[in-house]
Amino acid sequence: MKQKKKKKKSHVPFRVNVLFFIVFILFSVLILRLGFVQIVYGDDYRREIERTEDITVNNPVPRGKMMDRTGKIIVDNTPQNAITYTNRGAKQDEMIEVAKKLATLIEKDTSKVQERDKKDYWILENSKRADAKVSDEEIEKLKKKLEGKELDKKIYQLKLDRITEEELNELTAFDLEVLAIYRDFSSGYALTPQMVKNKGVTDEEFAVVSENLQLLPGVDTTTDWERYYAFGDTLKSVLGNVSDDGLPAEQLEYYLARDYSRNDRVGKSQIELQYEDVLHGQKAKVKNITDKAGNVLETIPISEGKRGKDLVLSIDMDLQMAVDKIVEEELRAAKGKSGTLLLDRSYVVLMDPRTGEILSMSGKRIVKKENGEKVIMDDALGNIQTTYNVGSTVKGATIMTGFNTGAIRPGDTFYDTPVRIKGTPPKKSWKAGLGTMSDITALKYSSNVYMFQTAINIGGGTYIPDRPLKLDSKGFSTIRDSFAQYGLGIKTGIDLPNEQSGFKGTGTKPGFMLDLVIGQYDTYSNMQLAQYVSTIANGGNRMEPHIVKEIREPLMENGEIGPIIQEIEPKVLNRIEGKEEWLDRVQEGFKKVTQEPGGTAYSSFGAKGKDYNPAGKTGTAEAFYDGPERSKYGKEPPEVINLSYVGYAPYDNPEVAIAVLVPWAYQGSHGHYANRNIAERVLDTYFELKKQRQSGTANTDHSTEDQKETDGEKTEQE
């Protein structure tokens, strides 16, 4: 019987089977996990991979325009070629390469490149030489004290400090242009256009850059805007300026917090600054969609930009041009008289006493250029930013202060004779023999003595000739508080920055109080004089002066003026104290000044038969020179005469108030009458222009009749 064959045993060990089983289990778990991730979290991971960032960018728009009260454009925008750069994630070396290419195509101003900029650029271009300036031993020592960013910062600073002047001089003119361009490239935020050149971009530069944009990633050609002043330098100091190179460094955080970009141009001074929120407009907004690497995938417009709102000024530019011409002519004429070495300026304000609207604001100043040439420049701001002793023009406020305090009563009289206080020179009126003065005639003839007696009574003193005079020092605050009701010695509230309130004398001697009531102690601005006389003219309301009349939507496409957004309403700051009949007496005195023989302005108005029924008050102040030539005169400044005039017309229904101030008019006891000449010619021009417009024959060549007094004419001056 055949023996059965034995069953063949497997040669695969048991433990290998176990290993295969384990691997099978692991692969199964992995497959299950992958399936789970794909099914449950697949969409989440896909969104993460495709994640983008939305970055909103604001693009600037043209500023609002300014026009005068008749609709004439004063400040406009003119388009100009511009070259910009937008950083879309470029690295430093990439930006420098683009800057080098661009520098071969345009001329770039390098005047603003600083020494630190040059050193940084030298290190970039000479990295090995820069590294050699700090030895390995020094670095090892520094590592014992510092680490991380602090270490890198210290090493870099050592490199900067050790760059020599000779090494900096290695930078060529081309290098500096590249550096200047690179500074602009890196000065702002990513995806925000930075201005590289917007002034003096020639048509050739604009064309060649446009043709090579594919070789200049981030660079673009566009249109920028520049402020245009239709009347040249007329009123330029009041209109203000706009920054050329983005936000001012001293106000950077302020503007950035208000959603401005670093390269935005903003108002730097005066109206441009005061009304920045109105003029700067609403920026165009676009959304840049980028991937994780910072590459722009899509640009989506969000909102269209809107040009800034327009301002309608209260200024009448035809009148302004004519007044400027008069002021300049009279300043030149006065400068030709003897004793006028220190005369260099003159100011005029025309104001509507009913509303506070400034109709004209003129100032002219003689300035010596570096080559010694003397030119006359606009100084309209001097009406609010400079203050002087103004003299007798304040006497209307003095009379009202006397009435309010009970120091005098309407009709009270004093005999005009010099006031002699022991130990001081006699204090007298401008002319001897004025006789017995009432409150009204004291204004007409400009009696100082009447004002002195009023001040003595306000101060509770008793005047005895040639004896000491004692006055209560509280009288100073009493007078100043009263004057402030008219705008004298305080800010007027005009809608312009940096208004000055004037200087208040600190001494309290009795003689100073007497000087105060005749305008020869404290100082006032010409705008304060305009507000003061307007308060008298309108019956006792101190109006807030304003130079902006309306805020309007931007001009329509067809050139029509836009609808009104805001009209600046007349604002009464305060009502003066006192009875109406008291103010009537002051007004009557002002009328006699101009319309009755003997009045200190009669020869300029009443004697010439002016038909616009003027009223006013002249002023002459003994003062001390404090101008640009002051340093030449040592400790004691020269004595000078300041001239002023305030007035209004027509007397029975005032529509215009005027203030004229001519500081440091002359030296000596006799001189010219520029204050009255200017006031006469300006008021003549105002009413003549009004007649021309009413008849439809307005003359726009800004010429005025020469009405200057002849040198030989004798006129009265207090």
Side-chain angles (χ1 to χ4, degrees), residues 188-372:
Y189 298 114
L191 302 178
T192 302
Q194 303 300 313
M195 196 62 64
V196 177
K197 186 176 183 180
N198 63 345
K199 288 188 176 181
V201 178
T202 66
D203 293 338
E204 292 77 11
E205 288 178 329
F206 192 82
V208 73
V209 172
S210 298
E211 293 170 359
N212 289 276
L213 290 179
Q214 71 277 9
L215 303 176
L216 302 166
V219 175
D220 197 6
T221 51
T222 185
T223 299
D224 192 29
W225 303 88
E226 184 176 19
R227 283 310 228 182
Y228 167 71
Y229 301 90
F231 292 86
D233 289 336
T234 301
L235 210 64
K236 184 67 166 56
S237 63
V238 172
L239 299 174
N241 295 305
V242 176
S243 60
D244 292 326
D245 302 309
L247 302 180
E250 64 276 10
Q251 295 178 295
L252 182 62
E253 296 302 324
Y254 171 84
Y255 284 114
L256 289 178
R258 284 156 179 79
D259 202 29
Y260 281 75
S261 300
R262 290 177 180 269
N263 62 331
D264 283 349
R265 285 176 293 173
V266 297
K268 290 177 61 178
S269 60
Q270 304 319 313
I271 295 178
E272 293 277 16
L273 172 61
Q274 188 77 13
Y275 288 89
E276 168 63 26
D277 291 344
V278 174
L279 291 168
H280 83 277
Q282 179 180 331
K283 296 180 179 181
K285 291 187 177 182
V286 296
K287 181 189 293 183
N288 290 308
I289 300 177
T290 66
D291 58 19
K292 292 180 67 177
N295 300 310
V296 177
L297 303 176
E298 186 180 5
T299 298
I300 302 174
I302 297 177
S303 62
E304 293 185 3
K306 189 175 183 181
R307 183 171 65 78
K309 298 177 179 62
D310 295 330
L311 299 181
V312 177
L313 307 187
S314 59
I315 296 290
D316 182 329
M317 285 306 289
D318 285 339
L319 179 62
Q320 178 71 34
M321 295 284 283
V323 172
D324 278 353
K325 185 173 184 289
I326 292 168
V327 173
E328 184 170 337
E329 289 175 352
E330 291 297 337
L331 183 58
R332 290 184 186 276
K335 192 66 177 174
K337 305 292 179 65
S338 61
T340 59
L341 177 64
L342 300 175
L343 169 64
D344 71 344
R345 63 194 66 188
S346 184
Y347 303 107
V348 175
V349 170
L350 284 178
M351 178 174 168
D352 186 332
R354 302 161 297 187
T355 65
E357 293 177 2
I358 303 300
L359 308 177
S360 176
M361 182 175 170
S362 178
K364 294 294 178 181
R365 181 183 296 193
I366 301 172
V367 178
K368 183 185 292 186
K369 300 173 70 175
E370 292 183 0
N371 61 5

Side-chain angles (χ1 to χ4, degrees), residues 65-115:
K65 301 179 182 182
M66 300 183 204
M67 59 197 77
D68 82 341
R69 64 188 302 116
T70 68
K72 292 184 180 69
I73 296 294
I74 303 174
V75 183
D76 204 343
N77 303 299
T78 56
Q80 57 183 5
N81 294 334
I83 299 170
T84 65
Y85 177 79
T86 304
N87 186 356
R88 295 183 171 89
K91 298 178 180 178
Q92 186 180 68
D93 57 343
E94 294 173 333
M95 287 194 288
I96 290 177
E97 285 304 312
V98 174
K100 288 180 178 179
K101 293 177 182 178
L102 185 58
T104 65
L105 304 178
I106 66 172
E107 295 289 332
K108 175 66 175 176
D109 178 28
T110 62
S111 60
K112 294 181 180 178
V113 174
Q114 304 296 317
E115 181 176 308

